[in-house]
PDB file of all heavy atoms in Angstrom:
ATOM      1  N   TYR J   1      99.075 102.585  89.676  1.00 66.00           N
ATOM      2  CA  TYR J   1      97.982 102.960  90.567  1.00 66.00           C
ATOM      3  C   TYR J   1      97.514 101.825  91.461  1.00 66.00           C
ATOM      4  O   TYR J   1      96.664 102.010  92.299  1.00 66.00           O
ATOM      5  CB  TYR J   1      96.797 103.492  89.747  1.00 66.00           C
ATOM      6  CG  TYR J   1      97.117 104.819  89.125  1.00 66.00           C
ATOM      7  CD1 TYR J   1      97.475 104.909  87.791  1.00 66.00           C
ATOM      8  CD2 TYR J   1      97.097 105.985  89.886  1.00 66.00           C
ATOM      9  CE1 TYR J   1      97.792 106.126  87.221  1.00 66.00           C
ATOM     10  CE2 TYR J   1      97.414 107.209  89.324  1.00 66.00           C
ATOM     11  CZ  TYR J   1      97.755 107.266  87.997  1.00 66.00           C
ATOM     12  OH  TYR J   1      98.074 108.479  87.447  1.00 66.00           O
ATOM     13  N   ARG J   2      98.060 100.633  91.281  1.00 69.00           N
ATOM     14  CA  ARG J   2      97.645  99.536  92.138  1.00 69.00           C
ATOM     15  C   ARG J   2      98.281  99.694  93.516  1.00 69.00           C
ATOM     16  O   ARG J   2      99.264 100.417  93.692  1.00 69.00           O
ATOM     17  CB  ARG J   2      97.986  98.193  91.515  1.00 69.00           C
ATOM     18  CG  ARG J   2      99.468  97.912  91.445  1.00 69.00           C
ATOM     19  CD  ARG J   2      99.678  96.481  90.926  1.00 69.00           C
ATOM     20  NE  ARG J   2     100.845  95.939  91.551  1.00 69.00           N
ATOM     21  CZ  ARG J   2     101.970  95.678  90.928  1.00 69.00           C
ATOM     22  NH1 ARG J   2     102.084  95.933  89.643  1.00 69.00           N
ATOM     23  NH2 ARG J   2     102.992  95.180  91.575  1.00 69.00           N
ATOM     24  N   TYR J   3      97.760  98.982  94.494  1.00 72.00           N
ATOM     25  CA  TYR J   3      98.289  99.047  95.852  1.00 72.00           C
ATOM     26  C   TYR J   3      99.717  98.505  95.880  1.00 72.00           C
ATOM     27  O   TYR J   3      99.995  97.452  95.333  1.00 72.00           O
ATOM     28  CB  TYR J   3      97.386  98.249  96.805  1.00 72.00           C
ATOM     29  CG  TYR J   3      97.899  98.225  98.215  1.00 72.00           C
ATOM     30  CD1 TYR J   3      97.847  99.358  99.011  1.00 72.00           C
ATOM     31  CD2 TYR J   3      98.465  97.073  98.743  1.00 72.00           C
ATOM     32  CE1 TYR J   3      98.333  99.349 100.301  1.00 72.00           C
ATOM     33  CE2 TYR J   3      98.949  97.048 100.028  1.00 72.00           C
ATOM     34  CZ  TYR J   3      98.878  98.186 100.808  1.00 72.00           C
ATOM     35  OH  TYR J   3      99.373  98.181 102.085  1.00 72.00           O
ATOM     36  N   ASN J   4     100.614  99.228  96.514  1.00 72.00           N
ATOM     37  CA  ASN J   4     101.999  98.833  96.714  1.00 72.00           C
ATOM     38  C   ASN J   4     102.709  98.461  95.402  1.00 72.00           C
ATOM     39  O   ASN J   4     103.169  97.328  95.237  1.00 72.00           O
ATOM     40  CB  ASN J   4     102.083  97.680  97.716  1.00 72.00           C
ATOM     41  CG  ASN J   4     103.481  97.523  98.278  1.00 72.00           C
ATOM     42  OD1 ASN J   4     104.348  98.375  98.074  1.00 72.00           O
ATOM     43  ND2 ASN J   4     103.701  96.428  98.971  1.00 72.00           N
ATOM     44  N   PRO J   5     102.842  99.422  94.473  1.00 80.00           N
ATOM     45  CA  PRO J   5     103.546  99.119  93.229  1.00 80.00           C
ATOM     46  C   PRO J   5     105.027  98.812  93.489  1.00 80.00           C
ATOM     47  O   PRO J   5     105.588  99.240  94.481  1.00 80.00           O
ATOM     48  CB  PRO J   5     103.394 100.395  92.408  1.00 80.00           C
ATOM     49  CG  PRO J   5     102.859 101.425  93.298  1.00 80.00           C
ATOM     50  CD  PRO J   5     102.356 100.775  94.543  1.00 80.00           C
ATOM     51  N   ARG J   6     105.635  98.057  92.592  1.00 86.00           N
ATOM     52  CA  ARG J   6     107.030  97.639  92.733  1.00 86.00           C
ATOM     53  C   ARG J   6     107.948  98.871  92.672  1.00 86.00           C
ATOM     54  O   ARG J   6     107.863  99.669  91.744  1.00 86.00           O
ATOM     55  CB  ARG J   6     107.386  96.654  91.635  1.00 86.00           C
ATOM     56  CG  ARG J   6     108.773  96.064  91.769  1.00 86.00           C
ATOM     57  CD  ARG J   6     108.998  94.945  90.778  1.00 86.00           C
ATOM     58  NE  ARG J   6     108.124  93.809  90.998  1.00 86.00           N
ATOM     59  CZ  ARG J   6     108.340  92.857  91.915  1.00 86.00           C
ATOM     60  NH1 ARG J   6     109.370  92.930  92.700  1.00 86.00           N
ATOM     61  NH2 ARG J   6     107.499  91.851  92.044  1.00 86.00           N
ATOM     62  N   PRO J   7     108.869  99.035  93.650  1.00 90.00           N
ATOM     63  CA  PRO J   7     109.800 100.167  93.601  1.00 90.00           C
ATOM     64  C   PRO J   7     110.875  99.968  92.534  1.00 90.00           C
ATOM     65  O   PRO J   7     111.216  98.835  92.189  1.00 90.00           O
ATOM     66  CB  PRO J   7     110.420 100.179  94.998  1.00 90.00           C
ATOM     67  CG  PRO J   7     110.158  98.855  95.585  1.00 90.00           C
ATOM     68  CD  PRO J   7     109.009  98.241  94.865  1.00 90.00           C
ATOM     69  N   ARG J   8     111.390 101.097  92.037  1.00 92.00           N
ATOM     70  CA  ARG J   8     112.480 101.035  91.064  1.00 92.00           C
ATOM     71  C   ARG J   8     113.448 102.194  91.326  1.00 92.00           C
ATOM     72  O   ARG J   8     113.045 103.260  91.807  1.00 92.00           O
ATOM     73  CB  ARG J   8     111.942 101.098  89.652  1.00 92.00           C
ATOM     74  CG  ARG J   8     111.375 102.452  89.298  1.00 92.00           C
ATOM     75  CD  ARG J   8     110.968 102.530  87.852  1.00 92.00           C
ATOM     76  NE  ARG J   8     110.629 103.917  87.542  1.00 92.00           N
ATOM     77  CZ  ARG J   8     109.830 104.260  86.576  1.00 92.00           C
ATOM     78  NH1 ARG J   8     109.260 103.351  85.822  1.00 92.00           N
ATOM     79  NH2 ARG J   8     109.572 105.532  86.358  1.00 92.00           N
ATOM     80  N   LEU J   9     114.711 101.966  91.025  1.00 95.00           N
ATOM     81  CA  LEU J   9     115.724 103.020  91.127  1.00 95.00           C
ATOM     82  C   LEU J   9     115.658 103.869  89.867  1.00 95.00           C
ATOM     83  O   LEU J   9     115.560 103.334  88.757  1.00 95.00           O
ATOM     84  CB  LEU J   9     117.116 102.411  91.290  1.00 95.00           C
ATOM     85  CG  LEU J   9     117.355 101.663  92.599  1.00 95.00           C
ATOM     86  CD1 LEU J   9     118.735 101.015  92.593  1.00 95.00           C
ATOM     87  CD2 LEU J   9     117.197 102.572  93.802  1.00 95.00           C
ATOM     88  N   ASP J  10     115.705 105.196  90.037  1.00 95.00           N
ATOM     89  CA  ASP J  10     115.567 106.103  88.903  1.00 95.00           C
ATOM     90  C   ASP J  10     116.888 106.695  88.427  1.00 95.00           C
ATOM     91  O   ASP J  10     116.956 107.229  87.320  1.00 95.00           O
ATOM     92  CB  ASP J  10     114.601 107.237  89.250  1.00 95.00           C
ATOM     93  CG  ASP J  10     113.194 106.738  89.508  1.00 95.00           C
ATOM     94  OD1 ASP J  10     112.802 105.725  88.899  1.00 95.00           O
ATOM     95  OD2 ASP J  10     112.491 107.356  90.332  1.00 95.00           O
ATOM     96  N   LYS J  11     117.926 106.649  89.280  1.00 95.00           N
ATOM     97  CA  LYS J  11     119.235 107.175  88.897  1.00 95.00           C
ATOM     98  C   LYS J  11     120.313 106.240  89.411  1.00 95.00           C
ATOM     99  O   LYS J  11     120.092 105.450  90.332  1.00 95.00           O
ATOM    100  CB  LYS J  11     119.440 108.585  89.448  1.00 95.00           C
ATOM    101  CG  LYS J  11     118.526 109.615  88.804  1.00 95.00           C
ATOM    102  CD  LYS J  11     118.955 111.019  89.124  1.00 95.00           C
ATOM    103  CE  LYS J  11     118.040 111.997  88.398  1.00 95.00           C
ATOM    104  NZ  LYS J  11     118.473 113.367  88.551  1.00 95.00           N
ATOM    105  N   SER J  12     121.483 106.386  88.847  1.00 95.00           N
ATOM    106  CA  SER J  12     122.596 105.513  89.207  1.00 95.00           C
ATOM    107  C   SER J  12     123.160 105.875  90.593  1.00 95.00           C
ATOM    108  O   SER J  12     122.870 106.930  91.145  1.00 95.00           O
ATOM    109  CB  SER J  12     123.704 105.630  88.164  1.00 95.00           C
ATOM    110  OG  SER J  12     124.356 106.891  88.302  1.00 95.00           O
ATOM    111  N   GLU J  13     123.998 104.972  91.076  1.00 94.00           N
ATOM    112  CA  GLU J  13     124.681 105.180  92.356  1.00 94.00           C
ATOM    113  C   GLU J  13     125.483 106.484  92.337  1.00 94.00           C
ATOM    114  O   GLU J  13     125.423 107.267  93.282  1.00 94.00           O
ATOM    115  CB  GLU J  13     125.597 103.981  92.593  1.00 94.00           C
ATOM    116  CG  GLU J  13     126.379 104.004  93.861  1.00 94.00           C
ATOM    117  CD  GLU J  13     127.260 102.766  93.955  1.00 94.00           C
ATOM    118  OE1 GLU J  13     126.710 101.651  93.994  1.00 94.00           O
ATOM    119  OE2 GLU J  13     128.496 102.940  93.975  1.00 94.00           O
ATOM    120  N   ASN J  14     126.224 106.730  91.256  1.00 95.00           N
ATOM    121  CA  ASN J  14     127.054 107.938  91.164  1.00 95.00           C
ATOM    122  C   ASN J  14     126.213 109.211  91.109  1.00 95.00           C
ATOM    123  O   ASN J  14     126.610 110.237  91.654  1.00 95.00           O
ATOM    124  CB  ASN J  14     127.971 107.861  89.945  1.00 95.00           C
ATOM    125  CG  ASN J  14     129.054 106.814  90.121  1.00 95.00           C
ATOM    126  OD1 ASN J  14     129.408 106.449  91.244  1.00 95.00           O
ATOM    127  ND2 ASN J  14     129.573 106.302  89.018  1.00 95.00           N
ATOM    128  N   GLU J  15     125.064 109.163  90.440  1.00 94.00           N
ATOM    129  CA  GLU J  15     124.186 110.339  90.362  1.00 94.00           C
ATOM    130  C   GLU J  15     123.535 110.641  91.708  1.00 94.00           C
ATOM    131  O   GLU J  15     123.121 111.766  91.967  1.00 94.00           O
ATOM    132  CB  GLU J  15     123.088 110.110  89.322  1.00 94.00           C
ATOM    133  CG  GLU J  15     123.589 110.037  87.896  1.00 94.00           C
ATOM    134  CD  GLU J  15     122.495 109.640  86.929  1.00 94.00           C
ATOM    135  OE1 GLU J  15     121.982 108.513  87.047  1.00 94.00           O
ATOM    136  OE2 GLU J  15     122.152 110.480  86.057  1.00 94.00           O
ATOM    137  N   THR J  16     123.463 109.662  92.577  1.00 96.00           N
ATOM    138  CA  THR J  16     122.794 109.799  93.868  1.00 96.00           C
ATOM    139  C   THR J  16     123.717 110.344  94.960  1.00 96.00           C
ATOM    140  O   THR J  16     123.258 110.992  95.894  1.00 96.00           O
ATOM    141  CB  THR J  16     122.228 108.422  94.301  1.00 96.00           C
ATOM    142  OG1 THR J  16     121.328 107.970  93.294  1.00 96.00           O
ATOM    143  CG2 THR J  16     121.494 108.499  95.613  1.00 96.00           C
ATOM    144  N   VAL J  17     125.007 110.114  94.839  1.00 97.00           N
ATOM    145  CA  VAL J  17     125.972 110.427  95.906  1.00 97.00           C
ATOM    146  C   VAL J  17     125.840 111.858  96.422  1.00 97.00           C
ATOM    147  O   VAL J  17     125.746 112.088  97.627  1.00 97.00           O
ATOM    148  CB  VAL J  17     127.421 110.137  95.452  1.00 97.00           C
ATOM    149  CG1 VAL J  17     128.440 110.714  96.415  1.00 97.00           C
ATOM    150  CG2 VAL J  17     127.630 108.643  95.296  1.00 97.00           C
ATOM    151  N   SER J  18     125.835 112.857  95.545  1.00 96.00           N
ATOM    152  CA  SER J  18     125.824 114.259  95.998  1.00 96.00           C
ATOM    153  C   SER J  18     124.522 114.622  96.708  1.00 96.00           C
ATOM    154  O   SER J  18     124.533 115.386  97.681  1.00 96.00           O
ATOM    155  CB  SER J  18     126.079 115.207  94.825  1.00 96.00           C
ATOM    156  OG  SER J  18     125.044 115.101  93.881  1.00 96.00           O
ATOM    157  N   CYS J  19     123.403 114.077  96.274  1.00 97.00           N
ATOM    158  CA  CYS J  19     122.109 114.386  96.897  1.00 97.00           C
ATOM    159  C   CYS J  19     121.976 113.681  98.241  1.00 97.00           C
ATOM    160  O   CYS J  19     121.446 114.246  99.195  1.00 97.00           O
ATOM    161  CB  CYS J  19     120.978 114.004  95.959  1.00 97.00           C
ATOM    162  SG  CYS J  19     121.120 114.857  94.371  1.00 97.00           S
ATOM    163  N   PHE J  20     122.456 112.452  98.313  1.00 97.00           N
ATOM    164  CA  PHE J  20     122.485 111.718  99.581  1.00 97.00           C
ATOM    165  C   PHE J  20     123.343 112.491 100.587  1.00 97.00           C
ATOM    166  O   PHE J  20     122.952 112.710 101.729  1.00 97.00           O
ATOM    167  CB  PHE J  20     123.056 110.314  99.351  1.00 97.00           C
ATOM    168  CG  PHE J  20     123.093 109.459 100.582  1.00 97.00           C
ATOM    169  CD1 PHE J  20     122.027 108.629 100.888  1.00 97.00           C
ATOM    170  CD2 PHE J  20     124.188 109.479 101.434  1.00 97.00           C
ATOM    171  CE1 PHE J  20     122.046 107.831 102.023  1.00 97.00           C
ATOM    172  CE2 PHE J  20     124.222 108.691 102.567  1.00 97.00           C
ATOM    173  CZ  PHE J  20     123.151 107.866 102.869  1.00 97.00           C
ATOM    174  N   ARG J  21     124.506 112.920 100.136  1.00 97.00           N
ATOM    175  CA  ARG J  21     125.427 113.686 100.984  1.00 97.00           C
ATOM    176  C   ARG J  21     124.763 114.986 101.464  1.00 97.00           C
ATOM    177  O   ARG J  21     124.845 115.336 102.634  1.00 97.00           O
ATOM    178  CB  ARG J  21     126.708 113.980 100.207  1.00 97.00           C
ATOM    179  CG  ARG J  21     127.752 114.759 100.987  1.00 97.00           C
ATOM    180  CD  ARG J  21     129.038 114.916 100.189  1.00 97.00           C
ATOM    181  NE  ARG J  21     129.663 113.648  99.895  1.00 97.00           N
ATOM    182  CZ  ARG J  21     130.447 112.989 100.733  1.00 97.00           C
ATOM    183  NH1 ARG J  21     130.695 113.494 101.918  1.00 97.00           N
ATOM    184  NH2 ARG J  21     130.983 111.843 100.382  1.00 97.00           N
ATOM    185  N   ALA J  22     124.089 115.692 100.566  1.00 97.00           N
ATOM    186  CA  ALA J  22     123.410 116.946 100.931  1.00 97.00           C
ATOM    187  C   ALA J  22     122.356 116.694 102.003  1.00 97.00           C
ATOM    188  O   ALA J  22     122.216 117.482 102.947  1.00 97.00           O
ATOM    189  CB  ALA J  22     122.780 117.587  99.693  1.00 97.00           C
ATOM    190  N   HIS J  23     121.621 115.585 101.866  1.00 97.00           N
ATOM    191  CA  HIS J  23     120.587 115.254 102.855  1.00 97.00           C
ATOM    192  C   HIS J  23     121.210 115.058 104.236  1.00 97.00           C
ATOM    193  O   HIS J  23     120.767 115.654 105.221  1.00 97.00           O
ATOM    194  CB  HIS J  23     119.821 114.000 102.435  1.00 97.00           C
ATOM    195  CG  HIS J  23     118.874 113.511 103.485  1.00 97.00           C
ATOM    196  ND1 HIS J  23     117.710 114.193 103.799  1.00 97.00           N
ATOM    197  CD2 HIS J  23     118.922 112.439 104.312  1.00 97.00           C
ATOM    198  CE1 HIS J  23     117.086 113.551 104.776  1.00 97.00           C
ATOM    199  NE2 HIS J  23     117.802 112.471 105.100  1.00 97.00           N
ATOM    200  N   PHE J  24     122.239 114.231 104.317  1.00 97.00           N
ATOM    201  CA  PHE J  24     122.799 113.928 105.634  1.00 97.00           C
ATOM    202  C   PHE J  24     123.689 115.040 106.181  1.00 97.00           C
ATOM    203  O   PHE J  24     123.824 115.174 107.392  1.00 97.00           O
ATOM    204  CB  PHE J  24     123.492 112.569 105.636  1.00 97.00           C
ATOM    205  CG  PHE J  24     122.496 111.473 105.845  1.00 97.00           C
ATOM    206  CD1 PHE J  24     122.126 110.640 104.804  1.00 97.00           C
ATOM    207  CD2 PHE J  24     121.878 111.300 107.081  1.00 97.00           C
ATOM    208  CE1 PHE J  24     121.171 109.647 104.996  1.00 97.00           C
ATOM    209  CE2 PHE J  24     120.919 110.325 107.275  1.00 97.00           C
ATOM    210  CZ  PHE J  24     120.568 109.489 106.237  1.00 97.00           C
ATOM    211  N   GLU J  25     124.257 115.869 105.341  1.00 97.00           N
ATOM    212  CA  GLU J  25     124.982 117.035 105.856  1.00 97.00           C
ATOM    213  C   GLU J  25     124.017 117.979 106.569  1.00 97.00           C
ATOM    214  O   GLU J  25     124.333 118.527 107.617  1.00 97.00           O
ATOM    215  CB  GLU J  25     125.749 117.735 104.738  1.00 97.00           C
ATOM    216  CG  GLU J  25     127.006 116.971 104.365  1.00 97.00           C
ATOM    217  CD  GLU J  25     127.755 117.557 103.181  1.00 97.00           C
ATOM    218  OE1 GLU J  25     127.322 118.584 102.604  1.00 97.00           O
ATOM    219  OE2 GLU J  25     128.791 116.961 102.829  1.00 97.00           O
ATOM    220  N   GLU J  26     122.824 118.139 106.017  1.00 96.00           N
ATOM    221  CA  GLU J  26     121.794 118.965 106.680  1.00 96.00           C
ATOM    222  C   GLU J  26     121.338 118.316 107.988  1.00 96.00           C
ATOM    223  O   GLU J  26     121.179 118.987 109.002  1.00 96.00           O
ATOM    224  CB  GLU J  26     120.613 119.176 105.737  1.00 96.00           C
ATOM    225  CG  GLU J  26     119.505 120.044 106.305  1.00 96.00           C
ATOM    226  CD  GLU J  26     119.901 121.506 106.473  1.00 96.00           C
ATOM    227  OE1 GLU J  26     120.871 121.961 105.855  1.00 96.00           O
ATOM    228  OE2 GLU J  26     119.222 122.199 107.241  1.00 96.00           O
ATOM    229  N   GLN J  27     121.138 117.005 107.964  1.00 96.00           N
ATOM    230  CA  GLN J  27     120.732 116.286 109.176  1.00 96.00           C
ATOM    231  C   GLN J  27     121.785 116.436 110.282  1.00 96.00           C
ATOM    232  O   GLN J  27     121.454 116.714 111.428  1.00 96.00           O
ATOM    233  CB  GLN J  27     120.523 114.795 108.877  1.00 96.00           C
ATOM    234  CG  GLN J  27     119.344 114.492 107.984  1.00 96.00           C
ATOM    235  CD  GLN J  27     118.043 114.849 108.659  1.00 96.00           C
ATOM    236  OE1 GLN J  27     117.637 114.231 109.628  1.00 96.00           O
ATOM    237  NE2 GLN J  27     117.391 115.873 108.165  1.00 96.00           N
TER     238      GLN J  27
END
């Protein structure tokens, strides 16, 4: 809840690929 908390990755590179692809295919 503090201002500008430290970002963290929640899933691996491989788990992200299909969702990243879906985002840019729509774009």
Side-chain angles (χ1 to χ4, degrees):
Y1 291 101
R2 68 175 213 249
Y3 178 72
N4 198 10
R6 185 171 296 279
R8 70 175 189 205
L9 293 176
D10 296 329
K11 292 193 177 186
S12 72
E13 180 181 298
N14 290 337
E15 293 173 296
T16 302
V17 168
S18 63
C19 302
F20 182 92
R21 181 175 297 277
H23 173 71
F24 277 107
E25 284 175 0
E26 181 69 19
Q27 292 294 292

